[in-house]
Amino acid sequence: DTDEAATPPSEQHSLGAESVGEESLDLVSRQLAMLSDPSPTGMHTLNHTLQRGFKFQADAIALGGVTAFMDVIGATMAKPKKTAMDLQVLDIALDMLLTTSASEEGASSLLDEEGGFDKLVSVLSSPAQKTRSKALQLLACMVVYTDKPLVESSLRRANRYGGASPGVLLASLLRDKEGALPEAQTCTDVVTLLNALVACSGNPAALVDELSSAGVDDALTEIEPLFSSSPDL
């Protein structure tokens, strides 16, 4: 009899799973370390690793990946001028945050991230449309994960010098820019977030009135031409 034959199949499987688990943890740990000096190449590599499955995502979350992604987002948005490389880094960080926050553990980590929603709201001023859309999608998802108005509060803080209404920033994303209609995807994501905010509000009627006063109704009227051309709106 060989040693392999003497080892029960269940133990062989267990040993193999343990080896894969250690390999995953080591790989994710090494790639997360690259975020201290983020580059599009390194972040693409990590993003590809996260797409390999739940085990890799769970390891990233356990190793503080959500905090690392948020640090990259915060540092990028703090730059007065953003290069094309900066926007690439921002886009990939948002991608990885979308991937990890799809699980309960990842969403909980994001909810626990101090100042995390403020950083996501800051992305709404990004010059790159796809980064604005991804931030809106994350915010909409997070609204339904908690019974606390954390996203609404962040939107209010973003407009703290203009009346603290959560609708001002969202209305600005819906408005025509230089005579051209805003991007359909952005409008779709703004409307999704607005619907989530109202649906999860403790006082939806009051919030609807406040959003209207902030110009959201007028902004929605301005984008009516998009409603007929975009099936998502």
Side-chain angles (χ1 to χ4, degrees), residues 1-227:
D1 291 343
T2 63
D3 290 341
E4 182 179 353
T7 305
S10 59
E11 281 190 34
Q12 292 178 27
H13 177 76
S14 177
L15 291 170
E18 183 178 341
S19 175
V20 171
E22 291 176 355
E23 179 186 356
S24 163
L25 196 66
D26 180 62
L27 177 64
V28 172
S29 178
R30 285 186 283 108
Q31 292 181 357
L32 278 172
M34 293 189 295
L35 296 185
S36 60
D37 184 19
S39 69
T41 300
M43 295 187 68
H44 272 304
T45 300
L46 176 56
N47 195 22
H48 177 73
T49 297
L50 295 181
Q51 303 307 317
R52 290 173 62 178
F54 176 76
K55 170 60 180 168
F56 295 90
Q57 297 164 22
D59 285 344
I61 294 165
L63 291 167
V66 170
T67 296
F69 305 152
M70 292 306 305
D71 286 346
V72 170
I73 291 169
T76 303
M77 289 307 301
K79 294 183 178 182
K81 293 184 178 180
K82 299 168 187 59
T83 65
M85 184 176 293
D86 290 332
L87 295 176
Q88 274 186 282
V89 164
L90 177 63
D91 184 55
I92 303 167
L94 290 163
D95 263 342
M96 294 191 289
L97 205 54
L98 279 165
T99 297
T100 51
S101 64
S103 69
E104 184 176 349
E105 292 81 3
S108 295
S109 293
L110 182 51
L111 287 172
D112 292 340
E113 188 68 26
E114 185 175 356
F117 292 154
D118 288 352
K119 291 176 182 177
L120 289 178
V121 167
S122 74
V123 178
L124 302 184
S125 64
S126 165
Q129 180 271 329
K130 61 182 179 179
T131 59
R132 295 194 300 270
S133 281
K134 289 173 184 177
L136 287 164
Q137 291 163 24
L138 279 161
L139 290 168
C141 289
M142 290 300 106
V143 168
V144 302
Y145 264 108
T146 176
D147 56 0
K148 298 178 181 179
L150 301 178
V151 172
E152 180 183 327
S153 296
S154 288
L155 288 166
R156 291 184 185 280
R157 282 193 292 274
N159 186 46
R160 58 188 176 278
Y161 300 120
S165 170
V168 171
L169 180 54
L170 297 181
S172 71
L173 293 174
L174 293 171
R175 295 195 182 281
D176 294 359
K177 295 176 177 62
E178 299 178 358
L181 288 172
E183 303 88 351
Q185 184 61 54
T186 297
C187 294
T188 300
D189 294 327
V190 169
V191 171
T192 300
L193 176 54
L194 286 168
N195 288 338
L197 288 168
V198 172
C200 297
S201 172
N203 191 343
L207 181 58
V208 167
D209 288 343
E210 188 175 2
L211 292 172
S212 179
S213 298
V216 169
D217 284 352
D218 290 341
L220 289 171
T221 299
E222 291 174 14
I223 64 167
E224 279 185 358
L226 283 177
F227 281 76

